[in-house]
Amino acid sequence: MSGILYGLGVGPGDPELLTLKALRLVKEAEVIALPGQVPEDTVAFKIVEGAYPELGKKELLAVPFPMSKDPEVLKSYHDAGAQKVKEVLDQGKNVVFLTLGDPTIYSTYLYVHKRILERGYQAEIVSGITSFCAVAARLNMGLAEMAEPLHVIPATYKAEEMDELLKLPGTKVLMKSGKRLKKVRDSILRSGQNAVMIENCGMPEEKIYASAKEIPEEAGYYTLLVVKDKK
């Protein structure tokens, strides 16, 4: 009998935000898959290790993903990653694939998940705390109230459209601004809206920027902004 693949959300960075279900599945897992060349160096590994120090004793499966937008490059890595997972499942072993935040929100894991299902194997998604919910909690604020809409936008892909996107009513969550941060920040300043930014939420190197004027021109990959209409 083939094993089962679990796509497991480990939350945004704080090991205490791991769910009880996530921790149980990690402890029970025969193989832990991580998105990187060296599993022990990944952020997901370090988060879970903070709650389960024995993680490094598990059988670890490295599943590299490139920082690329080239469809052909991405497809080759996604195919290869799914093949590596399939080979372990064929041994009858369950695989727990660790991914940041929640697996259903802009997660690379989903590309492997779909391929495994297409090949007739069993795969399940285990929800984790999303980065934008953790950011709102960290900032002691709500994201949406009453009939206020909430928009989740992948800013690195949508930076050229940001002036128009910021006209949407309600709260805008801008994820993965990274290398396009200066352009995103400039759009926010032009809009005149309120904005806050967190880099590495819940991690030791966390930084909070309380207004649009404080936002730097560059920041790390794990950067998230919340933009609200002025009231």
Side-chain angles (χ1 to χ4, degrees), residues 53-117:
E54 295 84 5
L55 180 62
K57 297 178 181 178
K58 293 277 188 178
E59 181 181 345
L60 304 178
L61 178 68
V63 184
F65 292 122
M67 297 297 287
S68 171
K69 294 180 183 178
D70 184 319
E72 291 303 316
V73 172
L74 291 172
K75 182 180 183 301
S76 66
Y77 273 85
H78 297 157
D79 288 344
Q83 180 61 30
K84 292 183 75 171
V85 170
K86 174 185 174 298
E87 290 171 1
V88 177
L89 297 178
D90 284 339
Q91 298 172 27
K93 296 179 180 180
N94 292 339
V95 177
V96 167
F97 196 117
L98 305 184
T99 186
L100 293 175
D102 183 280
T104 65
I105 305 291
Y106 300 125
S107 171
T108 306
Y109 163 76
L110 284 176
Y111 299 104
V112 172
H113 181 83
K114 292 175 182 177
R115 285 164 169 77
I116 291 298
L117 288 176

Side-chain angles (χ1 to χ4, degrees), residues 161-230:
E161 306 166 41
M162 196 55 61
D163 284 356
E164 288 301 313
L165 289 170
L166 289 176
K167 294 177 183 177
L168 291 167
T171 301
K172 280 72 67 174
V173 170
L174 309 182
M175 298 183 66
K176 301 182 178 181
S177 299
K179 297 177 181 178
R180 309 302 302 278
L181 185 58
K182 181 181 184 302
K183 191 168 188 63
V184 170
R185 182 202 64 184
D186 291 347
S187 290
I188 295 171
L189 290 171
R190 282 193 294 272
S191 77
Q193 296 179 75
N194 297 313
V196 289
M197 182 182 110
I198 289 191
E199 187 177 3
N200 302 313
C201 180
M203 303 180 197
E205 59 272 30
E206 176 187 275
K207 294 180 182 178
I208 297 176
Y209 303 87
S211 71
K213 292 181 179 179
E214 295 181 21
I215 295 171
E217 293 188 0
E218 296 181 0
Y221 180 73
Y222 303 110
T223 296
L224 187 144
L225 297 94
V226 179
V227 183
K228 281 181 168 284
D229 295 332
K230 283 191 173 180

Side-chain angles (χ1 to χ4, degrees), residues 4-71:
I4 302 171
L5 171 64
Y6 296 91
L8 193 153
V10 303
D14 183 348
E16 291 188 335
L17 293 181
L18 273 172
T19 66
L20 292 174
K21 183 172 184 177
L23 193 56
R24 174 180 64 80
L25 286 171
V26 166
K27 291 178 178 180
E28 294 174 354
E30 296 163 274
V31 179
I32 303 291
L34 293 117
Q37 293 281 2
V38 182
E40 295 89 344
D41 290 344
T42 63
V43 175
F45 180 92
K46 293 173 183 176
I47 291 171
V48 176
E49 187 182 37
Y52 181 57
E54 295 84 5
L55 180 62
K57 297 178 181 178
K58 293 277 188 178
E59 181 181 345
L60 304 178
L61 178 68
V63 184
F65 292 122
M67 297 297 287
S68 171
K69 294 180 183 178
D70 184 319

